[in-house]
Amino acid sequence: MEYFVRNENGSMMAEDVSVSSLASQYGTPLYVYSERSLREHFAEFDESAGDFPHLICYAVKANSNLSVLSLMASLGAGFDIVSGGELARVIRAGGDPSRVVYSGVAKTESEIAYALNAGILSFNVESEAEMERISKVAVSENITARVSVRVNPDVDAGTHPYISTGLKTNKFGVPVERAFTLYQRARDLPGIKIVGIDCHIGSQLTSLAPFEDALDRIVKLIIRLRNEGIVIEHIDVGGGLGVVYNEEVPPSRKSYMDAILNKIKGLNLKLICEPGRSMVANAGILISRCEYLKEGETVNFCIVDTAMNDMIRPSLYQAWMKIEEAELRDNVPDEVYNVVGPVCETGDFLGKERHLRVAAGDYLVMQGAGAYGFSMSSNYNSRPRACEVMVSGSKHRIIRKRETAEDLWRGEEL
Ligand code: LLP
């Protein structure tokens, strides 16, 4: 269900609360998340897997707020992490480290030692050198490291080049043939227990075919490994399922799960998946306030108080994010605007050529902002980071305070 929709008076709602009232109470820029929608998204993944042994490892990077993580943990999620910092967040939020898979190409020795001592489920190993390093740290910590090899299946995910990860030109994972050799090597390494196999081919995929192609290659490898006496307990299919920002038609969570199960059934494997965007993107909005309208020579500007430091997706990937008025009004003309922020960069925009009926002081709502929004935000231009609020029905609470000037220079010395 959609939880950020207009009521009969034309007011955009966040579940049962009007977006404008949230913006006036908490100020802008403001991230608002819907607890109901987070619960529903998790349940759709979980229920689609049914009785098949599985673990949904929410990809922390998409939205790493402690309250989001603790909600996920309470629903039974595991976590996909890519840094020691993300592991610390998971633990702080009450997540179970034995349900954590750790991806990422540059794990340091101290991060590896931290994760080993926390007792994570699996390191998703991204290179030969990393396997050697994990073995070395495991021996010195006297803890066995559970590992999977992240296989780069060389499939085109058909998504933005910056968020494609499964091509041989990408830095991620190990090509299929080398993965086979790496498993043979890992078998003989001290401190290592092979538990799984992993792949993640990219993000915002809107068709099932690349997932299926990748899985075909991985399943072949699993069978080859079994013939070699190397037993794989789980298959981690990564994340990547796309969402609707504009007119995309991504597969449903159920058909995504069905397609995966169809490829792996009968192999006696546990399924792990690492959804990020699909869990949180459409469970969140970003509210901004129009500060000024400015006529340009060729285009008009709607200047808002939210910038690329709060939401970088449009600037970084030319991502199209839907922007709507919080309140429908018919007393101002419909004009075309570039919606831009206060940061001193021409690349600082939230949307281009948008039809809006807006006046200074009005609130605007960006949809689909729950994933890779706050988590990619920064303090550029010395802008305190936004406030985050969780809504559940008619209740709402701050889950991250708006930063203050002191937060801007925390840790600095005069
Ligand atoms: N697992 C691994 C190993 C990943 O690298 C990622 C995302 C995920 C899971 C979750 O993928 P998702 O289900 O969210 O597609 N900042 C970009 C997206 C970068 C994705 C990076 N990896 C954006 O805003 O579009």
Side-chain angles (χ1 to χ4, degrees):
M1 242 178 99
E2 299 291 324
Y3 290 110
F4 299 106
V5 286
R6 285 188 198 286
N7 69 10
E8 60 287 358
N9 303 321
S11 300
M12 180 68 70
M13 305 296 285
E15 297 198 15
D16 303 335
V17 196
S18 98
V19 159
S20 306
S21 69
L22 290 169
S24 339
Q25 179 172 345
Y26 298 110
T28 49
L30 181 69
Y31 276 98
V32 176
Y33 309 120
S34 153
E35 186 177 319
R36 283 184 189 159
S37 104
L38 291 168
R39 287 179 183 277
E40 272 183 27
H41 297 168
F42 180 85
E44 275 175 38
F45 279 113
D46 198 36
E47 285 160 19
S48 305
D51 294 339
F52 196 94
H54 67 278
L55 181 62
I56 317 280
C57 288
Y58 166 63
V60 172
K61 65 173 84 64
N63 185 325
S64 43
N65 184 286
L66 290 183
S67 286
V68 173
L69 301 183
S70 103
L71 176 65
M72 287 293 149
S74 75
L75 298 174
F79 298 92
D80 165 58
I81 60 160
V82 290
S83 69
E86 287 192 347
L87 179 55
R89 279 186 172 276
V90 167
I91 293 171
R92 179 73 184 83
D96 178 356
S98 73
R99 291 169 165 252
V100 166
V101 294
Y102 188 174
S103 313
V105 294
K107 302 174 190 82
T108 64
E109 285 190 5
S110 64
E111 286 177 314
I112 293 167
Y114 176 40
L116 276 172
N117 283 287
I120 66 165
L121 172 61
S122 177
F123 288 91
N124 290 338
V125 179
E126 306 241 9
S127 65
E128 290 85 354
E130 187 194 329
M131 187 70 86
E132 303 285 336
R133 177 180 278 187
I134 292 175
S135 162
K136 195 182 107 199
V137 180
V139 169
S140 73
E141 297 291 321
N142 200 16
I143 303 172
T144 302
R146 300 165 55 85
V147 303
S148 308
V149 172
R150 176 165 176 181
V151 179
N152 182 329
D154 194 26
V155 296
D156 185 358
T159 183
H160 189 286
Y162 282 17
I163 51 178
S164 279
T165 48
L167 281 172
K168 62 178 173 210
T169 48
N170 300 137
K171 69 180 172 183
F172 300 99
V174 183
V176 174
E177 202 42 54
R178 269 168 52 198
F180 182 72
T181 318
L182 182 53
Y183 273 110
Q184 290 175 312
R185 168 86 182 119
R187 176 169 54 182
D188 301 331
L189 278 176
I192 296 284
K193 177 172 173 16
I194 295 167
V195 292
I197 193 162
D198 168 56
C199 80
H200 168 80
I201 56 173
S203 199
Q204 184 54 11
L205 272 72
T206 50
S207 99
L208 292 175
F211 290 117
E212 293 175 321
D213 288 353
L215 271 178
D216 284 339
R217 293 171 198 203
I218 305 285
V219 166
K220 266 195 207 143
L221 178 57
I222 293 174
I223 292 167
R224 258 181 90 193
L225 288 167
R226 282 192 177 162
N227 291 339
E228 188 69 8
I230 296 173
V231 180
I232 304 290
E233 294 165 22
H234 75 241
I235 177 169
D236 179 342
V237 298
L241 180 61
V243 301
V244 179
Y245 288 110
N246 191 4
E247 283 164 351
E248 303 87 344
V249 192
S252 67
R253 297 181 185 89
K254 167 118 181 53
S255 45
Y256 165 79
M257 283 301 236
D258 285 350
I260 290 169
L261 293 180
N262 195 31
K263 291 281 178 197
I264 63 169
K265 60 177 186 243
L267 287 171
N268 194 23
L269 288 167
K270 176 174 175 175
L271 169 66
I272 292 180
C273 60
E274 305 172 352
R277 189 190 311 267
S278 170
M279 198 75 88
V280 288
N282 286 317
I285 55 171
L286 173 57
I287 313 172
S288 43
R289 181 174 183 272
C290 170
E291 295 294 330
Y292 303 101
L293 295 178
K294 176 171 174 177
E295 225 172 275
E297 289 299 301
T298 55
V299 63
N300 292 327
F301 298 102
C302 170
I303 305 175
V304 295
D305 60 359
T306 301
M308 64 192 287
N309 74 295
D310 302 297
M311 164 49 79
I312 203 174
R313 304 197 68 254
S315 305
L316 190 57
Y317 316 112
Q318 291 78 45
W320 191 95
M321 310 287 287
K322 188 173 187 181
I323 300 171
E324 302 175 81
E325 303 86 349
E327 304 293 331
L328 278 189
R329 36 153 92 229
D330 46 21
N331 54 349
V332 293
D334 178 344
E335 302 272 8
V336 177
Y337 295 102
N338 283 359
V339 181
V340 298
V343 160
C344 301
E345 301 252 0
T346 301
D348 177 31
F349 65 93
L350 300 182
K352 289 196 171 158
E353 296 178 15
R354 303 303 174 88
H355 279 271
L356 292 168
R357 288 177 183 272
V358 63
D362 287 2
Y363 296 121
L364 293 178
V365 174
M366 177 187 278
Q367 297 278 1
Y372 306 111
F374 189 93
S375 65
M376 293 181 82
S377 68
S378 76
N379 292 118
Y380 186 42
N381 275 208
S382 285
R383 290 171 47 80
R385 279 183 296 170
C387 175
E388 295 176 285
V389 162
M390 181 72 79
V391 172
S392 178
S394 57
K395 298 205 189 86
H396 42 96
R397 64 193 169 94
I398 291 188
I399 58 171
R400 192 181 208 278
K401 281 190 214 142
R402 183 175 305 288
E403 286 182 346
T404 61
E406 280 74 24
D407 294 321
L408 291 178
W409 53 73
R410 186 148 32 104
E412 291 179 33
E413 306 273 344
L414 268 178

